[in-house]
Amino acid sequence: MFLFVNFRKIRDRKGVNFHGVEVIQGYTVVKDGINKWCIPKFGKMRVDAVIYVNDTLKELLHEDQSLRQITNAATLPGVVKPVIGMPDIHEGFGLPIGGVMAIEEKGVISAGAVGYDINCGVRLLRTNLEAEYFNKELLYKLIERIEYYVPTGIGKKGRHKGITRLIFDDVVHNGVEAVIKAGFGKKSDLNFIEEGGKLSGADISAVSKEAQERGEEQLGTLGGGNHFIEIQQVDSILDEKLAERFGLFKGQIAVMIHTGSRGFGHQIATDYTKILWEAAKKYGVDVPEKGLAAAPIDSKEGKAYYKAMAAAVNFAFSNRQIIMFDVIKAFEDVLKKSSESMGFQLVYDVAHNIAKWEEHGGKKLLVHRKGATRALPAGHPQNPSFYKESGHPALIPGSMGTGSYVVVGTEKAAETFYSVNHGAGRRLSRNKAKKITKEEFEKAMGDVIYNVRSFKDIVDESPLAYKDVEEVISVLSERGITTPVARLIPLAVVKGAD
DNA sequence: ATGTCC
């Protein structure tokens, strides 16, 4: 053994490390092929944890608690090998953002492993419009009009609250179909939303009155933080065939919408973190930190959380549907053309904070994804029919001033439960990002137009606060888990503002 | 992420 160790290359970084073995935050991390590192199970861990990073992104793991969080998740009852950290991993509440945790039927369900913004997700619309005709003046007019229709910022109520109050129960139980019936979009949009815009099993009776009251008036609002509506240009096509299937071409105008379940999902997450924390004690589930509060899937409390979570999932899909409708209306107003003549079409809508029943390796698993996106490969039966042969588009936004990607999962993505990263991933905490100067911020934004006038309200969303999206994307594509299809760059962005 | 602390 002594000789074996001596043959290996010794690296002097954060202490003495051997080639292929490093110690990060006190955890022994072992290289397992291209861009994949494993924390072999030890102590109370029931399974290994795995992270997908290259050398640059691996260094960032020294700076936060995300390894502790994935190893903690690996102790939960029913967890299936491995708990996964995506290349955009960073510390969260409970499971890190960029975490995937799959649980067997006899195991537990955790609210903190889904996150506070239940079904936060991304939707991409394409057009037949050419970006070269969109000058700054036109882009300003468009984002101004979008802001007129879509309330943005924390605590805002929807413009359609008269209608959404009436259809609220229908929305919660039936998802996007309910808002389409009320006039927001067309029936065929359902074919281009994960789960067809409805996670079954939702039940409003599992949702607190407080959450319901917050939700009823918030459908059709963007929210704050990293939520955005972005007018983008398809910058490069990386896979011709798949891009053609997705209706994407170089120079095309596209719109990306990133938002979630607003105060509704947040209240549900708050309520059930408390409920599941108490339930864990009652059922004797050993939960290592409050953020991972979990109860048996089969328990009264576990079942109730699933029903409430599904309600928030349906709310968020519907929220993005209404916002899409309003964005298209803004384009119609400004360009004085119909939606049809501009070629508006939903490409896809993906969730990135959700727990769902899926079949993996012949087993029924409750897959918790928090800051991770499902990416089914070509031929997978759970693809929507239009994308059955190609695999569905997985949408990965970068930070505000940088590129976004459309990718497709491959067969090799089976090792991540067909999951990919959900974005660039935060590099600086919001507090640290506040130290970015106005000059640095403006330089990072380049020519991208944005709506927020107050620098201090937006500085923590600076591209400098995020990891390099190119780096993050390359981790999974180099490993063969994803096929990049197209890169989109922002022209103008609407963020939450007061 | 969030009526950014009922």
Side-chain angles (χ1 to χ4, degrees):
Chain A
M1 188 59 196
F2 180 71
L3 274 176
F4 177 67
V5 167
N6 271 329
F7 276 123
R8 293 183 169 225
K9 186 180 161 197
I10 293 172
R11 298 159 90 187
D12 186 21
R13 187 194 289 158
K14 318 262 173 183
V16 178
N17 298 308
F18 302 106
H19 183 64
V21 182
E22 291 196 27
V23 177
I24 305 176
Q25 292 266 330
Y27 295 97
T28 301
V29 181
V30 182
K31 192 163 169 84
D32 183 14
I34 298 167
N35 294 340
K36 183 182 174 188
W37 293 75
C38 179
I39 304 176
K41 67 172 177 173
F42 69 95
K44 288 183 175 178
M45 287 171 75
R46 293 168 196 257
V47 297
D48 298 345
V50 158
I51 37 168
Y52 291 91
V53 282
N54 61 17
D55 287 343
T56 313
L57 294 167
K58 180 156 52 63
E59 289 308 300
L60 300 173
L61 295 172
H62 290 280
E63 291 157 28
D64 75 5
Q65 295 292 309
S66 47
L67 294 191
R68 177 176 61 76
Q69 294 186 321
I70 52 171
T71 52
N72 275 344
T75 71
L76 292 178
V79 66
V80 173
K81 180 180 177 172
V83 174
I84 297 165
M86 287 291 163
D88 53 345
I89 189 170
H90 58 104
E91 190 179 328
F93 179 63
L95 198 68
I97 324 297
V100 181
M101 176 181 83
I103 305 272
E104 289 176 344
E105 280 179 277
K106 62 180 196 297
V108 295
I109 183 167
S110 168
V114 172
Y116 272 88
D117 191 1
I118 298 166
N119 191 5
C120 188
V122 183
R123 166 177 291 225
L124 182 67
L125 324 183
R126 60 180 166 88
T127 69
N128 60 20
L129 303 168
E130 309 261 356
E132 58 179 309
Y133 301 112
F134 283 62
N135 58 28
K136 286 200 166 187
E137 194 193 342
L138 180 56
L139 290 165
Y140 270 116
K141 274 188 195 160
L142 281 166
I143 63 171
E144 208 174 287
R145 198 67 182 163
I146 289 169
E147 271 198 283
Y148 169 74
Y149 281 127
V150 184
T152 74
I154 286 176
K156 293 288 163 59
K157 292 178 179 177
R159 279 178 79 254
H160 308 288
K161 59 178 186 283
I163 302 169
T164 59
R165 233 189 253 118
L166 293 175
I167 62 170
F168 192 68
D169 271 28
D170 199 12
V171 167
V172 157
H173 294 119
N174 299 312
V176 179
E177 193 182 356
V179 295
I180 291 172
K181 270 196 298 186
F184 300 98
K186 52 186 196 286
K187 187 104 199 214
S188 61
D189 292 339
L190 295 176
N191 304 328
F192 300 93
I193 306 173
E194 185 170 335
E195 300 293 313
K198 174 196 172 176
L199 188 62
S200 55
D203 187 345
I204 195 70
S205 69
V207 177
S208 68
K209 259 270 146 332
E210 198 179 5
Q212 291 184 44
E213 279 165 12
R214 286 178 75 173
E216 282 175 350
E217 301 194 322
Q218 283 190 329
L219 268 171
T221 62
L222 185 68
N226 65 3
H227 291 162
F228 64 75
I229 300 166
E230 202 163 87
I231 301 173
Q232 302 177 334
Q233 167 183 349
V234 176
D235 174 61
S236 46
I237 296 298
L238 306 164
D239 186 297
E240 292 282 350
K241 267 197 163 161
L242 287 168
E244 197 186 335
R245 185 62 184 161
F246 299 169
L248 301 175
F249 60 88
K250 191 175 157 79
Q252 176 182 27
I253 288 284
V255 179
M256 190 173 268
I257 297 165
H258 176 203
T259 185
S261 52
R262 310 284 292 103
F264 185 60
H266 189 273
Q267 189 62 50
I268 289 169
T270 305
D271 293 342
Y272 277 94
T273 293
K274 207 173 157 200
I275 291 167
L276 296 181
W277 179 245
E278 294 302 322
K281 287 188 229 164
K282 181 169 129 190
Y283 297 111
V285 179
D286 186 6
V287 176
E289 58 183 296
K290 190 159 186 186
L292 282 170
I297 295 171
D298 240 352
S299 66
K300 181 167 67 102
E301 295 85 351
K303 281 182 189 160
Y305 172 65
Y306 190 89
K307 289 173 186 171
M309 179 210 55
V313 166
N314 294 339
F315 178 101
F317 281 138
S318 302
N319 193 31
R320 294 194 285 274
Q321 179 74 16
I322 293 173
I323 291 174
M324 172 176 83
F325 177 86
D326 285 336
V327 165
I328 293 173
K329 209 159 46 165
F331 270 77
E332 288 179 329
D333 289 358
V334 173
L335 296 179
K336 313 247 187 300
K337 287 180 178 176
S338 70
S339 165
E340 291 74 25
S341 70
M342 289 183 283
F344 266 102
Q345 171 60 42
L346 177 54
V347 176
Y348 207 49
D349 180 315
V350 292
H352 57 225
N353 284 1
I354 195 168
K356 279 196 323 198
W357 287 108
E358 294 174 359
E359 203 174 296
H360 294 276
K363 264 186 171 172
K364 199 181 161 199
L365 302 177
L366 185 62
V367 182
H368 298 64
R369 293 191 181 86
K370 180 180 183 182
T373 299
R374 190 171 73 165
L376 299 174
H380 192 287
Q382 289 214 302
N383 276 303
S385 60
F386 187 81
Y387 295 126
K388 180 76 183 291
E389 281 166 32
S390 57
H392 68 81
L395 312 172
I396 306 179
S399 58
M400 190 160 63
T402 62
S404 295
Y405 280 82
V406 177
V407 307
V408 172
T410 67
E411 285 299 338
K412 195 173 171 59
E415 71 180 47
T416 61
F417 305 101
Y418 298 118
S419 312
V420 299
N421 56 298
H422 84 306
R426 207 163 249 293
R427 186 170 68 81
L428 302 178
S429 69
R430 289 198 184 274
N431 272 335
K432 281 185 184 161
K434 297 275 186 209
K435 292 184 181 131
I436 294 166
T437 66
K438 194 166 184 186
E439 289 67 35
E440 287 169 329
F441 174 80
E442 281 172 356
K443 189 171 171 229
M445 286 300 288
D447 285 334
V448 179
I449 289 165
Y450 49 96
N451 64 320
V452 181
R453 269 71 58 179
S454 165
F455 164 71
K456 71 169 177 49
D457 285 349
I458 200 176
V459 61
D460 53 351
E461 285 300 321
S462 164
L464 299 165
Y466 283 84
K467 298 175 188 181
D468 179 353
V469 69
E470 313 294 334
E471 194 101 47
V472 167
I473 289 290
S474 68
V475 168
L476 296 185
S477 63
E478 283 170 10
R479 192 168 169 80
I481 286 176
T482 58
T483 305
V485 177
R487 178 175 186 266
L488 299 96
I489 54 169
L491 299 176
V493 52
V494 175
K495 300 283 286 186
D498 291 319

